[in-house]
């Protein structure tokens, strides 16, 4: 995750310590993304969990979930992100959210927003969820096409307004691809209009149903154009003192590109930014980002649903996470010597760490090949 506003404009934000507060990677415990249910009321074309509106047997029950929450709290994980499917379709979500909060975890929700009525928003505030990220992948009907349901945009907007009215911090999540790149500026302009303080713009990862969207991934030229727009908007919002935080997610090329731009415009700030990016460490799949699915299987991140390191019903999360006898876990934790292609030749591995291995696997059938979403040239990144 690249906090564009922090890096470009030196604005402070409450989660800065999670990205830039560590000097060495060994100090970090992973943020846990928990797919608390796979059931969802929508059927998004790019869903990494391939969720549908049906019951999935074998999901962690309330007692098992609380044991799991105890485990990650003892291990020192700083955040649990309740995701799905659609987390609000889990009947005990609020009970589990409050339990996580009582154990000292920062509890947040990733949702499509369509089920957040006024009562749900008040409950979210009451039990201690600190943030709700609501996914929009376009304006109006374009969002509905992605979501597979007419009216999903309007329902999500109501969810946003209900959160704001209840005093819940809310932000947008937007997954960038060829089918909605023309909506990016509209989404960014919507933020100040709707008084939404945060937006995460995700690069497409080819996992789950999104495997069918590889042809809709942005070209290098399109990625550069989109990222430039995000950078410009971050500076515009900062100059207007709007307090809106823009972040990009799932492509650490953005951090390298931001550094290279600053190197030309403001060399002193560029050096500061490089150190911040180095502390963040680039892609943290298998290091400081983890995923546990609805059945209790542990993954390197939410896009690795096809590969598990173990199950929290059988072993403690901490034991699974620290066990490097698995070749993939060992490789992800120390991947630089394994990288091939452009990634293997890159001089910015300290701040990118080889980017997304899932994308490399999806395109080249080789986990350690270069990430095809890197939009910088070999000349720009060569050692």
């Amino acid at each position: 995750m690249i906090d564009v506003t922090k890096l470009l404009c030196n604005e402070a934000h409450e989660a800065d310590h999670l990205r830039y507060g560590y000097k060495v990677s060994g100090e970090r415990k992973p943020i846990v993304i928990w797919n608390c249910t796979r059931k969802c009321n929508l059927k998004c074309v790019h869903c990494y969990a391939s969720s549908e509106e049906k019951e999935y047997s074998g999901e962690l029950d309330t007692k098992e979930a609380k044991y799991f929450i105890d485990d990650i709290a003892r291990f020192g994980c700083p955040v649990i992100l309740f995701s799905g499917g659609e987390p609000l379709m889990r009947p005990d979500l609020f009970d589990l959210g409050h339990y996580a909060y009582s154990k000292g975890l920062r509890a947040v929700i990733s949702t499509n927003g369509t089920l957040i009525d006024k009562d749900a928003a008040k409950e979210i505030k009451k039990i201690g969820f600190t943030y709700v990220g609501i996914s929009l992948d376009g304006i109006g009907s374009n969002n509905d096409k992605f979501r597979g349901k007419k009216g999903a945009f309007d329902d999500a907007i109501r969810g946003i307004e209900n959160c704001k009215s209840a005093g819940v911090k809310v932000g947008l999540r937007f997954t960038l691809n060829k089918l909605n790149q023309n909506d990016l500026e509209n989404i960014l302009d919507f933020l100040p209009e709707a008084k939404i303080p945060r937006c995460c713009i995700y690069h497409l990862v080819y996992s789950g149903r999104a495997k069918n969207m590889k042809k809709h991934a942005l070209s290098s030229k399109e990625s550069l154009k989109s990222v430039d727009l995000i950078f410009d908007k971050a500076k515009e919002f900062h100059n207007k003192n709007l307090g809106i935080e823009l972040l990009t997610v799932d492509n650490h090329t953005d951090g390298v590109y931001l550094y290279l731009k600053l190197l030309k415009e403001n060399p002193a700030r560029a050096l500061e930014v490089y150190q911040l990016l180095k502390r963040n460490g680039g892609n943290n799949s298998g290091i400081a980002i983890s995923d546990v699915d609805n059945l209790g299987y542990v993954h390197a991140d939410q896009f690795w649903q096809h590969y598990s390191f173990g199950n929290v019903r059988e072993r403690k999360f901490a034991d699974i996470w620290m066990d490097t006898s698995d070749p993939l876990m060992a490789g992800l934790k120390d991947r630089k010597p394994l990288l091939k292609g452009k990634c293997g030749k890159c001089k910015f591995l300290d701040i990118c760490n080889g980017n997304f291995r899932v994308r490399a696997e999806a395109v080249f059938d080789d986990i350690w090949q270069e990430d095809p979403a890197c939009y910088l040239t070999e000349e720009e990144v060569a050692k």
Side-chain angles (χ1 to χ4, degrees):
M1 184 172 282
I2 308 297
D3 191 331
V4 174
T5 303
K6 164 70 175 177
L7 298 175
L8 275 182
C9 309
N10 202 22
E11 275 191 21
H13 299 284
E14 62 180 326
D16 286 349
H17 67 286
L18 295 174
R19 283 182 282 278
Y20 313 117
Y22 300 90
K23 293 182 180 179
V24 294
S25 61
E27 296 176 347
R28 307 181 78 170
K29 295 300 193 307
I31 290 170
V32 178
I33 300 164
W34 180 34
N35 305 108
C36 61
T37 181
R38 193 174 167 189
K39 185 178 181 180
C40 187
N41 61 318
L42 303 181
K43 193 174 181 180
C44 303
V45 297
H46 55 332
C47 177
Y48 64 78
S50 300
S51 294
E52 299 182 46
E53 190 167 7
K54 67 178 186 181
E55 299 298 329
Y56 291 89
S57 62
E59 297 189 335
L60 297 183
D61 62 27
T62 303
K63 183 178 179 181
E64 291 171 322
K66 288 184 176 180
Y67 181 86
F68 157 63
I69 290 169
D70 285 338
D71 185 21
I72 63 173
R74 282 193 297 266
F75 186 44
C77 297
V79 177
I80 180 169
L81 188 155
F82 289 81
S83 187
E86 172 48 53
L88 272 89
M89 297 196 80
R90 182 165 175 129
D92 59 356
L93 172 67
F94 297 142
D95 179 24
L96 294 175
H98 181 68
Y99 190 77
Y101 172 78
S102 74
K103 296 295 178 177
L105 290 161
R106 182 174 183 238
V108 299
I109 300 176
S110 175
T111 170
N112 61 47
T114 62
L115 302 180
I116 303 179
D117 58 21
K118 291 181 178 179
D119 289 339
K122 290 176 183 176
E123 195 68 18
I124 288 169
K125 176 65 176 179
K126 177 183 175 183
I127 66 175
F129 283 108
T130 59
Y131 177 74
V132 174
I134 294 180
S135 297
L136 287 179
D137 289 299
I139 299 294
S141 61
N142 204 25
N143 176 76
D144 294 355
K145 290 176 184 176
F146 277 91
R147 301 287 157 197
K149 183 177 180 180
K150 186 177 181 180
F153 178 81
D154 291 337
D155 290 342
I157 295 302
R158 276 192 289 273
I160 290 168
E161 292 304 318
N162 288 334
C163 284
K164 288 164 53 184
S165 296
V168 176
K169 183 179 180 181
V170 66
L172 296 189
R173 302 157 59 89
F174 178 88
T175 300
L176 191 58
N177 59 82
K178 286 182 183 291
L179 301 178
N180 67 2
Q181 60 182 320
N182 292 331
D183 265 352
L184 175 60
E185 187 164 12
N186 294 328
I187 285 285
L188 295 174
D189 288 340
F190 177 67
L191 298 172
E193 292 174 14
K195 294 182 171 57
I196 297 171
R198 193 172 192 261
C199 182
C200 297
I201 300 99
Y202 287 70
H203 291 261
L204 187 66
V205 180
Y206 325 134
S207 179
R209 279 199 288 267
K211 284 184 178 179
N212 300 320
M213 291 189 68
K214 281 186 282 188
K215 63 184 178 181
H216 298 305
L218 297 188
S219 66
S220 293
K221 184 177 180 180
E222 289 167 333
S223 292
L224 282 164
K225 181 179 178 182
S226 297
V227 173
D228 278 337
L229 174 61
I230 295 164
F231 289 0
D232 289 343
K233 284 293 181 179
K235 289 186 279 190
E236 177 188 327
F237 294 160
H238 174 74
N239 291 336
K240 291 181 178 179
N241 199 29
L242 297 177
I244 296 174
E245 182 184 17
L246 298 185
L247 306 96
T248 66
V249 191
D250 297 342
N251 194 338
H252 288 272
T253 308
D254 295 346
V256 178
Y257 181 53
L258 188 152
Y259 164 72
L260 291 174
K261 284 178 73 73
L262 277 176
L263 205 56
K264 297 175 183 178
E265 301 167 5
N266 186 347
R269 179 59 185 165
L271 293 176
E272 294 172 356
V273 164
Y274 191 92
Q275 292 305 313
L276 291 172
L277 290 168
K278 189 175 180 180
R279 284 192 174 195
N280 187 41
N283 178 272
N284 273 296
S285 303
I287 304 170
I289 298 291
S290 65
D291 175 82
V292 177
D293 67 25
N294 59 317
L295 304 179
Y297 288 98
V298 178
H299 310 281
D301 63 40
Q302 68 269 42
F303 303 105
W304 281 97
Q305 300 291 311
H306 56 292
Y307 192 96
S308 167
F309 302 114
N311 194 292
V312 298
R313 283 179 166 131
E314 300 167 0
R315 298 172 66 198
K316 291 182 178 181
F317 173 86
D319 293 340
I320 295 170
W321 197 250
M322 300 306 293
D323 184 359
T324 54
S325 64
D326 185 290
L328 178 58
M329 181 65 87
L332 289 172
K333 282 180 162 52
D334 184 20
R335 69 188 72 174
K336 293 181 180 69
L338 304 174
L339 297 172
K340 304 175 185 177
K342 187 166 62 172
C343 288
K345 302 171 186 175
C346 181
K347 64 184 176 184
F348 295 110
L349 289 181
D350 282 350
I351 62 174
C352 178
N353 204 28
N355 223 340
F356 260 79
R357 302 295 88 222
V358 166
R359 273 195 297 252
E361 182 185 38
V363 172
F364 300 111
D365 197 27
D366 185 344
I367 291 169
W368 307 116
Q369 255 301 344
E370 64 189 59
D371 184 340
C374 177
Y375 49 82
L376 297 174
T377 66
E378 291 202 24
E379 291 74 22
E380 287 174 301
V381 302
K383 296 177 183 177

